[in-house]
């Protein structure tokens, strides 16, 4: 007989491995779309560069929305039969804790056109103006992060909550420059 016997009882949950093929596809498309945004932002010999740049950014935004929908579909699995998904996908973990703000793969330049400079609001904070899909204008408020004990993400969320209270729909962290950006549709005065 062949060494592997099909009659071993499988641990419950293993036989119905979650289907992550959609998520994998979306992640591949995201990689390509992110590259496309970078490319369109560094090529400037083109007459209507802004429209192609905008187009590549909107395309990426659509994929981000698709990814969120897919995460929402997987949330139930992650909270019931497949807790390992929470470990593999930080965004799912955040969602499972009722926190949909933290966007782990977003980057500021994907929402703000390259020649946009920041304005300074009455609190002395840098505010960048950009867009997200069909939302325009979207304001991105910049705060500096302190290097803290514990998790940078929690620190970032807390700072943005204090700054924007309930008006925020996304939080973007730039770990390299220790900056965090809160996205809001209401002008942060």
């Amino acid at each position: 007989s062949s060494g592997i016997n099909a009659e071993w009882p499988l641990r419950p949950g293993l036989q119905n491995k979650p289907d992550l093929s959609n998520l994998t596809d979306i992640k591949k498309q995201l990689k390509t779309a992110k590259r496309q945004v970078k490319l369109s932002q560094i090529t400037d010999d083109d007459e209507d560069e802004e429209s192609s740049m905008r187009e590549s950014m909107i395309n990426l935004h659509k994929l981000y929305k698709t990814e969120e929908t897919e995460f929402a579909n997987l949330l139930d699995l992650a909270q019931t039969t497949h807790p390992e998904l929470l470990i593999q996908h930080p965004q799912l973990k955040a969602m499972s804790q009722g926190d949909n703000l933290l966007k782990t793969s977003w980057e500021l330049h994907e929402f703000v056109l390259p020649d946009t400079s920041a304005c300074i609001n009455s609190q002395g904070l840098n505010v960048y103006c950009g867009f997200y899909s069909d939302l325009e204008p979207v304001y991105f408020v910049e705060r500096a992060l302190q290097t803290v004990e514990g998790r940078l993400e929690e620190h970032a969320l807390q700072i943005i909550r204090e700054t924007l209270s309930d008006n925020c729909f996304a939080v973007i962290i730039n770990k390299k420059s220790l900056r965090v950006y809160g996205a809001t549709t209401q002008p942060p005065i």
Side-chain angles (χ1 to χ4, degrees), residues 108 111-121 125-131 137-143 179-184 188:
L108 187 69
F111 303 89
V112 174
L113 291 163
D115 51 1
T116 312
S117 53
C119 302
I120 293 176
N121 72 357
L125 299 174
N126 284 340
V127 178
Y128 293 87
C129 193
F131 64 97
V138 171
Y139 303 94
F140 295 88
V141 182
E142 179 182 75
R143 293 289 311 264
R179 294 272 181 275
V180 59
Y181 302 91
T184 176

Side-chain angles (χ1 to χ4, degrees), residues 35-53:
R35 200 173 304 126
Q36 203 48 56
V37 168
K38 276 209 172 108
L39 273 174
S40 72
Q41 290 180 348
I42 51 178
T43 21
D44 52 8
D45 50 354
D46 182 20
E47 292 291 274
D48 65 347
E49 67 185 89
E50 186 167 317
S51 66
S52 73
M53 203 182 294

Side-chain angles (χ1 to χ4, degrees), residues 69-128:
T69 310
E70 191 52 36
F71 273 137
N73 296 340
L74 290 171
L75 189 58
D76 187 49
L77 278 178
Q79 289 176 314
T80 53
T81 51
H82 296 280
E84 72 279 4
L85 291 174
L86 297 177
I87 297 157
Q88 294 158 1
H89 303 283
Q91 207 158 332
L92 264 181
K93 187 173 171 56
M95 285 168 83
S96 75
Q97 293 162 343
D99 200 327
N100 206 1
L101 286 183
L102 193 66
K103 307 299 177 192
T104 49
S105 57
W106 287 20
E107 294 173 68
L108 187 69
H109 74 86
E110 297 168 349
F111 303 89
V112 174
L113 291 163
D115 51 1
T116 312
S117 53
C119 302
I120 293 176
N121 72 357
S122 63
Q123 299 169 41
L125 299 174
N126 284 340
V127 178
Y128 293 87

